[in-house]
Amino acid sequence: MTANPNTLDVDAPDADERATYDYVSNDVERPELVVALRERINGDVRFDTYTRQQYATDASAYEETPIGVVFPRSTEDVAAVVSYCAEHEVPVLPRGGGTSLAGQAVNEAVVIDFSRHMDGIVSVAPDDRRARVQSGVVLEELNDVLAPYELKFAPDPAAGNRSVIGGAIGNNSTGAHSLKYGKTDAYVEECEVVLADGTVATFGEIAVDDLRERADPDGDLLERVYAEVIRIIDEEADAVRERFPDLKRNVSGYNLDMLVEEAETGTVNLGRLLAGSEGTLAVVTEAEVSLEPVPETKAVSLLFYESGLEAVTDVQHVLEHEPAAVELIDDVLIGLARETAEFEEIAALVPEGAQAALLVEFYAAADDHGRERTAGLLADRVPGSDSEAAPPDDRPTIEETHAFEGLEAHADAEREKFWKLRKAGLPILLSRTSDEKHISFIEDCAIPPEHLPEFVERFQSLLVEKDRDVDAAFYAHAGPGVLHVRPLVNTKADRDREDMVEIADAVTDMVVEFGGSVSGEHGDGHARTQWNRKLYGEDLWETFRDLKTAFDPDWLLNPGNVCGDHDMTENLRYDDAYEYDAGFEPSLNWDNENGMQGMVELCHGCGGCRGSQETTGGVMCPTYRAAEEEITATRGRANLLRNAMSGDLPDNPTDDEFVEEVLDLCIGCKGCARDCPSEVDMAKLKTEIMHARHQEHGASLRDKLFANFDRLAPLGSALAPLSNLVQSLPGAGTIAEKTIGIARERSLPEFHRETVQDWFEARDGSQVPEAEAERKAVLFTDTYTNYSHVTVGKATVRVLEAAGVHVDLASRTDSGRPALSKGFVDEARKTMRANVTELAPRIDEGWDVVLAEPSDAVMFQSDALDLLSGKGVESVASNSYGVCEYLDTYRLDENIDWNAPSESLAYHGHCHQKATKKDHHAVGVLRRAGYTVDPLDSGCCGMAGSFGYETEHYSLSQSIGEILVDQIEDSDATVVTAPGTSCRTQLGDKRLKPVPAESSLAGSRLDSEEPPTPVELLSYALPR
């Protein structure tokens, strides 16, 4: 790149600073190849069974086990791998985040994963609007770096928070705003590549005359490539112009239309020829890309229609208003949103009778400009619109097809609400636990917008003809004519696989008839490669193959894709040969189709669990965020668990190696149950496996101690302060580490002689008479609250009383959480049954159940239903609350004069509460009390109950905790507070220390009868 005084050098992440995870090599494929590659590169080489199985799938319906996986650290590493593999005729597959929907990221090849080490931003030149990056950089991470310059990499695929630039080039990615920005090829300025023989070359802009001079059909590989490119320009240009669809969105086949178009100017960019090639022509290691300004503001309209056909018919009229995006929401997605509690508020936007909607977004120079754009659209497309804007003068006010109602949004929150409606249904589509899945095999045909109505009508007829009756949803990018269609099929059944081929064949015929493309976004891969022959005709099909041969004479680069021999029904993840056998009977309740098997098979591979805290937010997946290893992500664990239960791994899921390698680092945060689009519940699956393992092999002493802490805590309390003194003796930590496996760096909980139950009894129970109370609540003081964090229990009682609640204490302190977290299901079930026996009758008498500790509240609200069935447990689950949830739900805190200090707070919610969507209640209470609150979009703190205490997990626990500390330090708040005992322990063990005693936040009133502040209620406030 040309030197520029304004160029900003950006350091690539230091891989050595990441948490490390070492595999125990269970067995190795091709050991001689492993030895050879390790001798030649500085990166990692892994050919063990677990690694290979993790990379056998992507986000598609396909599965193909690779030969092995390499994680290069440099272009030299990549060249060494490709060169050696070429010499020994070993296929190679470059891969990024593994988010491909057509199967182009799986193959029987040596996978080169760029996302681990080659993920750096080399430089940014804001004045030139250029950035140079390594192939593995995540798109949103790049945009985060560009944000201060008000620039961005424009293509915005839905998976941009985990997909990488190399994948975007390989797939010629685009997104919802392609009307404005087009595809990735328009932004590729130069590529550093490794050719099929290991040669490192630079592909960028070059004059056709220069290219012609360098071309030699008998020369070296690069010269032969030049010769074939010149031949296409000279001999195939007319055929390309005739057969290539005239569309903004076509990523099928090789990018010859752009090549021919550029050649007319006398200059071509060979880097752009690689866009959409799916790694079949060369391996991109580094790229220089051009950038676009971030729009000043945006405005969004929602247009509602009585049918999906009316909506797609109106698209061509909406396009006359020059929007940046036009998205279709069909009746299936609207219906799913209406039926799902999470989207109830969003679905309420949809008027009665609406069977489809178009979401239309405009970019604008200012808010007034945005309002003019939406007003003009509504005036034109909605009869009787209140908008004062006039429709275009050159046609009637309303065409025959139009919307019957319209809305507009301008504020960020309102615009996001509209977009949430567009995105609401897809996670539900992907959360089916039956054998039938919404498969991506004809998912993104691109059709000229004027032909969309007829295409949709004929497509729908096709799905129901011949007694096929296949359900499908039609949604996504209607503006450029790309509709995502996911038919519901069971690939395990012969008939359904036959239907897939018949449907795809017929759809391809329609696509050709309408001048469209079989892929407008997600590529060819295993799913669509075979249809390129019909789309482009035999002559261009052979041209594709000639180009492939010129670049890759032995067809070793991702063979089979684009112009190869893939059959869409081969190498499916589930087919008639697939067998499932868990090896044990599930112990928990599985209220879904196919039970536990349905959950094991639920992960569709989108890679959402691979996002960073900055790009993805939320809870999932904390171990991946710290280690950046596929096996520490939910997808990696889910794939390996399914493989173990289908016989594709040599291990049973309860074997030592499987548990230690695959499940041990799952910290049970439950984030995947919320943040995963399919809601894969890995924590629950792990509990089942650990329970079965205990049944087969017994349990360790440490696990038994943690699971039965409620039995040990009374003894520690009775012996306090002596029991606390013992922990502080020199060498006590070392002894605990060597004998039990508790990390010496951790401070163990301290015990109080006077428990919460003792204190409550001594004060003669509640200070609010039952007859005068607003409500009455049974406070369940969990083990830690009762014996170790007594001030929290006291604060909870007093704040409830200040809110007018008559309080009583439950007689028990064990919620069952400790036993369940260690996989002792029978013990947890016994404990929960006892709790239900005590609490259910009191609920029938009008009492509520309140818990101070978030994980124990969720234990009653959610996990209890996994353990027990019946009206009693359902009553307990639906009438149990975390303390702030209780105050917020019934607005009881409005009865309290908090007298809150003026400090601003960063609030870290407990991951279990976040997973059950209950973490917002504390924020509401704190804000009404007068605090300025910054609710952190944080993940798990890394302590995760006993996990952070365990010697072998201490380092990873700390690495996860550092992510949270970084977020706290980025907040403008002066104080951070957290309701979870584990969270406060983790923060206290790191750089954050308890508030000084003289602070108004220190809890000085906790031993008085005055109501505590909300911060005191949430226990220790921890300053920076």
Side-chain angles (χ1 to χ4, degrees):
M1 184 171 62
T2 304
N4 185 299
N6 294 319
T7 295
L8 170 70
D9 290 325
V10 183
D11 292 333
D14 185 355
D16 295 332
E17 293 180 0
R18 295 171 177 150
T20 57
Y21 181 76
D22 296 323
Y23 283 88
V24 174
S25 184
N26 41 22
D27 69 359
V28 175
E29 183 81 2
R30 304 282 296 270
E32 77 290 347
L33 185 54
V34 173
V35 171
L37 293 180
R38 283 180 175 168
E39 289 176 348
R40 287 164 171 78
I41 72 170
N42 293 318
D44 309 321
V45 179
R46 296 180 186 164
F47 281 46
D48 60 280
T49 301
Y50 286 173
T51 300
R52 293 169 59 232
Q53 288 302 136
Q54 289 172 73
Y55 284 80
T57 57
D58 53 10
S60 72
Y62 296 93
E63 181 171 26
E64 196 165 5
T65 306
I67 297 168
V69 183
V70 174
F71 304 85
R73 291 181 179 272
S74 65
T75 297
E76 291 74 20
D77 276 359
V78 177
V81 171
V82 174
S83 176
Y84 184 84
C85 288
E87 183 181 347
H88 294 82
E89 299 182 344
V90 177
V92 171
L93 164 63
R95 173 167 160 146
T99 59
S100 304
L101 287 167
Q104 54 267 56
V106 296
N107 216 325
E108 186 178 351
V110 172
V111 172
I112 302 177
D113 182 352
F114 286 90
S115 67
R116 173 69 174 158
H117 300 307
M118 293 184 67
D119 59 349
I121 299 172
V122 179
S123 62
V124 175
D127 287 353
D128 294 340
R129 293 187 183 175
R130 298 285 181 92
R132 193 168 189 90
V133 298
Q134 292 180 305
S135 282
V137 68
V138 173
L139 301 183
E140 283 198 15
E141 291 179 0
L142 170 61
N143 283 336
D144 285 346
V145 171
L146 298 174
Y149 307 103
E150 298 183 346
L151 296 172
K152 66 177 180 177
F153 179 71
D156 56 345
N161 56 16
R162 65 262 190 198
S163 56
V164 303
I165 196 74
I169 294 172
N171 206 57
N172 204 2
S173 295
T174 179
H177 297 90
S178 64
L179 287 171
K180 174 76 173 176
Y181 296 121
K183 300 172 294 187
T184 293
D185 54 12
Y187 302 93
V188 174
E189 301 300 334
E190 184 176 279
C191 290
E192 177 188 78
V193 304
V194 175
L195 298 178
D197 63 352
T199 299
V200 178
T202 299
F203 280 2
E205 192 172 274
I206 184 172
V208 174
D209 289 342
D210 290 343
L211 189 62
R212 196 180 302 278
E213 287 182 8
R214 300 180 190 184
D216 183 353
D218 299 317
D220 62 23
L221 181 58
L222 187 56
E223 291 168 337
R224 297 198 301 271
V225 167
Y226 291 160
E228 179 59 21
V229 171
I230 286 295
R231 190 196 70 79
I232 292 172
I233 293 171
D234 290 345
E235 301 177 13
E236 307 290 348
D238 289 341
V240 169
R241 295 188 191 98
E242 179 182 348
R243 289 303 300 250
F244 265 74
D246 183 16
L247 292 170
K248 288 180 177 291
R249 299 281 290 264
N250 172 32
V251 299
S252 288
Y254 290 128
N255 209 11
L256 302 188
D257 53 342
M258 174 167 276
L259 175 70
V260 167
E261 182 180 345
E262 287 187 339
E264 293 176 354
T265 69
T267 301
V268 296
N269 189 317
L270 293 186
R272 294 171 182 171
L273 181 60
L274 301 179
S277 64
E278 302 182 1
T280 62
L281 300 182
V283 179
V284 177
T285 56
E286 199 170 287
E288 182 176 321
V289 294
S290 53
L291 310 172
E292 289 288 331
V294 174
E296 292 294 329
T297 189
K298 304 172 186 177
V300 180
S301 294
L302 268 178
L303 304 178
F304 297 101
Y305 301 84
E306 294 179 351
S307 73
L309 198 57
E310 288 187 359
V312 295
T313 300
D314 209 27
V315 167
Q316 56 187 314
H317 304 310
V318 171
L319 289 176
E320 295 180 17
H321 292 263
E322 300 182 346
V326 181
E327 300 285 294
L328 173 67
I329 308 166
D330 81 342
D331 60 326
V332 175
L333 298 191
I334 289 175
L336 290 172
R338 281 173 167 155
E339 295 167 8
T340 306
E342 178 185 355
F343 301 114
E344 183 177 347
E345 180 185 357
I346 309 302
L349 296 171
V350 181
E352 191 71 27
Q355 294 298 306
L358 292 179
L359 183 150
V360 185
E361 184 168 80
F362 296 98
Y363 287 169
D367 185 62
D368 288 346
H369 181 214
R371 292 179 185 277
E372 289 175 8
R373 303 294 301 278
T374 56
L377 177 69
L378 295 178
D380 180 36
R381 304 314 311 154
V382 182
S385 171
D386 293 334
S387 171
E388 297 178 0
D393 295 331
D394 58 350
R395 71 170 198 275
T397 302
I398 297 294
E399 298 290 341
E400 183 177 348
T401 301
H402 54 77
F404 72 85
E405 190 169 323
L407 302 173
E408 56 185 303
H410 301 277
D412 290 348
E414 290 302 307
R415 293 201 310 267
E416 180 57 32
K417 188 182 295 185
F418 282 20
W419 273 102
K420 190 174 182 180
L421 178 63
R422 152 66 177 86
K423 300 171 183 177
L426 184 58
I428 308 170
L429 288 179
L430 299 179
S431 62
R432 295 185 68 97
T433 54
S434 63
D435 287 339
E436 292 180 319
K437 308 285 186 185
H438 286 279
I439 301 295
S440 170
F441 68 96
I442 48 165
E443 194 218 10
D444 64 333
C445 297
I447 302 294
E450 63 270 20
H451 297 308
L452 273 180
E454 186 178 357
F455 176 75
V456 169
E457 197 167 26
R458 288 171 57 180
F459 203 140
Q460 290 172 330
S461 298
L462 172 67
L463 294 178
V464 299
E465 70 182 20
K466 298 181 181 178
D467 299 321
R468 191 177 282 123
D469 199 16
V470 177
D471 291 331
F474 291 72
Y475 63 100
H477 318 305
V482 177
L483 293 186
H484 292 340
V485 186
R486 288 178 177 258
L488 189 62
V489 296
N490 175 15
T491 59
K492 298 176 183 177
D494 292 342
R495 169 62 192 273
D496 283 32
R497 292 196 303 277
E498 293 170 2
D499 282 347
M500 287 173 62
V501 177
E502 291 180 9
I503 291 170
D505 191 15
V507 168
T508 302
D509 287 338
M510 283 192 282
V511 164
V512 173
E513 178 184 345
F514 291 128
S517 169
V518 293
S519 179
E521 184 169 19
H522 295 147
D524 297 325
H526 284 65
R528 287 181 279 271
T529 286
Q530 73 188 77
W531 306 113
N532 280 338
R533 186 193 297 263
K534 179 177 286 192
L535 176 64
Y536 290 108
E538 288 293 336
D539 290 343
L540 278 186
W541 173 261
E542 291 302 324
T543 299
F544 289 162
R545 294 174 67 84
D546 290 342
L547 182 67
K548 165 69 173 174
T549 302
F551 270 93
D552 182 17
D554 297 318
W555 284 54
L556 294 176
L557 298 181
N558 204 8
N561 289 272
V562 183
C563 57
D565 57 358
H566 282 325
D567 181 326
M568 67 179 296
T569 61
E570 292 181 354
N571 297 305
L572 287 164
R573 193 180 307 186
Y574 303 109
D575 56 21
D576 56 348
Y578 174 83
E579 294 181 1
Y580 170 89
D581 181 11
F584 58 86
E585 288 298 318
S587 179
L588 299 171
N589 295 333
W590 291 91
D591 185 20
N592 57 270
E593 295 176 283
N594 282 3
M596 178 180 165
Q597 177 182 352
M599 183 62 68
V600 170
E601 297 173 0
L602 184 56
C603 173
H604 69 282
C606 73
C609 47
R610 287 173 51 99
S612 69
Q613 194 73 55
E614 293 79 10
T615 61
T616 309
V619 180
M620 179 185 73
C621 180
T623 51
Y624 178 81
R625 289 170 176 173
E628 295 190 9
E629 290 273 6
E630 179 77 15
I631 201 170
T632 62
T634 303
R635 181 174 73 176
R637 296 185 182 111
N639 275 329
L640 290 175
L641 182 57
R642 173 175 48 80
N643 291 150
M645 292 182 172
S646 65
D648 289 333
L649 285 181
D651 306 321
N652 293 318
T654 55
D655 288 350
D656 288 348
E657 187 167 353
F658 185 87
V659 170
E660 292 169 6
E661 293 293 309
V662 180
L663 295 181
D664 185 53
L665 296 184
C666 171
I667 60 180
C669 67
K670 297 178 179 287
C672 49
R674 184 195 79 164
D675 294 339
C676 168
S678 296
E679 298 183 351
V680 174
D681 194 339
M682 185 52 60
K684 187 174 178 180
L685 287 169
K686 179 181 178 180
T687 298
E688 283 281 19
I689 304 300
M690 296 309 298
H691 172 72
R693 177 176 165 80
H694 293 330
Q695 301 294 309
E696 295 177 19
H697 305 293
S700 69
L701 173 62
R702 185 179 66 185
D703 283 352
K704 291 177 181 178
L705 289 174
F706 280 127
N708 290 280
F709 185 70
D710 191 69
R711 300 179 187 177
L712 302 175
L715 178 61
S717 176
L719 296 177
L722 179 61
S723 54
N724 301 325
L725 179 63
V726 170
Q727 297 179 34
S728 64
L729 293 175
T734 301
I735 294 172
E737 183 170 287
K738 292 185 177 298
T739 58
I740 306 175
I742 295 176
R744 70 183 72 186
E745 296 88 349
R746 290 294 189 190
S747 54
L748 296 174
E750 292 188 354
F751 295 102
H752 290 253
R753 176 65 66 89
E754 182 187 52
T755 67
V756 177
Q757 291 178 329
D758 293 337
W759 168 80
F760 189 76
E761 183 178 349
R763 77 198 288 265
D764 295 326
S766 182
Q767 305 300 297
V768 176
E770 184 174 352
E772 301 175 9
E774 291 272 341
R775 301 186 73 86
K776 53 184 182 178
V778 179
L779 176 63
F780 190 97
T781 54
D782 62 277
T783 306
Y784 287 92
T785 299
N786 192 55
Y787 296 104
S788 296
H789 299 284
V790 176
T791 54
V792 175
K794 292 179 180 180
T796 303
V797 170
R798 285 201 298 273
V799 77
L800 289 173
E801 290 177 340
V805 178
H806 176 70
V807 181
D808 195 9
L809 296 194
S811 64
R812 300 175 54 79
T813 57
D814 187 1
S815 69
R817 168 66 68 202
L820 190 67
S821 69
K822 305 306 292 184
F824 294 93
V825 173
D826 292 339
E827 183 67 28
R829 182 178 287 116
K830 179 181 177 182
T831 299
M832 185 55 68
R833 185 175 288 114
N835 288 329
V836 169
T837 298
E838 175 182 345
L839 297 173
R842 303 201 69 176
I843 291 172
D844 291 341
E845 295 169 1
W847 291 77
D848 307 308
V849 178
V850 177
L851 300 96
E853 176 61 33
S855 63
D856 291 273
V858 173
M859 182 73 190
F860 277 35
Q861 295 166 332
S862 176
D863 299 279
L865 298 173
D866 294 333
L867 295 167
L868 301 172
S869 301
K871 291 183 178 179
V873 68
E874 290 172 1
S875 177
V876 169
S878 59
N879 290 279
S880 294
Y881 307 86
V883 57
C884 284
E885 177 190 1
Y886 189 58
L887 296 173
D888 188 47
T889 298
Y890 296 106
R891 288 297 193 270
L892 297 170
D893 57 300
E894 294 175 357
N895 299 331
I896 305 175
D897 180 10
W898 289 108
N899 191 27
S902 59
E903 284 89 346
S904 59
L905 307 177
Y907 174 77
H908 165 65
H910 192 282
C911 54
H912 285 187
Q913 286 188 318
K914 290 183 177 183
T916 51
K917 302 178 178 67
K918 296 180 181 293
D919 59 303
H920 62 282
H921 292 290
V923 177
V925 172
L926 290 167
R927 284 176 172 164
R928 286 196 296 275
Y931 289 97
T932 300
V933 184
D934 177 13
L936 301 176
D937 185 15
S938 50
C940 181
C941 69
M943 195 67 182
S946 64
F947 181 87
Y949 284 104
E950 296 165 353
T951 302
E952 69 275 24
H953 299 146
Y954 175 76
S955 176
L956 181 60
S957 170
Q958 289 290 87
S959 295
I960 297 170
E962 282 297 317
I963 298 173
L964 172 59
V965 171
D966 289 344
Q967 285 185 284
I968 292 168
E969 292 182 342
D970 287 341
S971 173
D972 293 331
T974 57
V975 174
V976 60
T977 189
T981 297
S982 290
C983 308
R984 297 192 303 270
T985 300
Q986 177 78 307
L987 292 172
D989 281 355
K990 298 188 77 65
R991 294 195 290 272
L992 307 179
K993 298 301 178 185
V995 176
E998 63 272 14
S999 169
S1000 60
L1001 294 171
S1004 58
R1005 295 186 293 172
L1006 289 179
D1007 289 323
S1008 74
E1009 288 302 319
E1010 296 180 36
T1013 71
V1015 173
E1016 292 166 340
L1017 175 64
L1018 298 174
S1019 194
Y1020 315 116
L1022 303 165
R1024 299 174 182 278

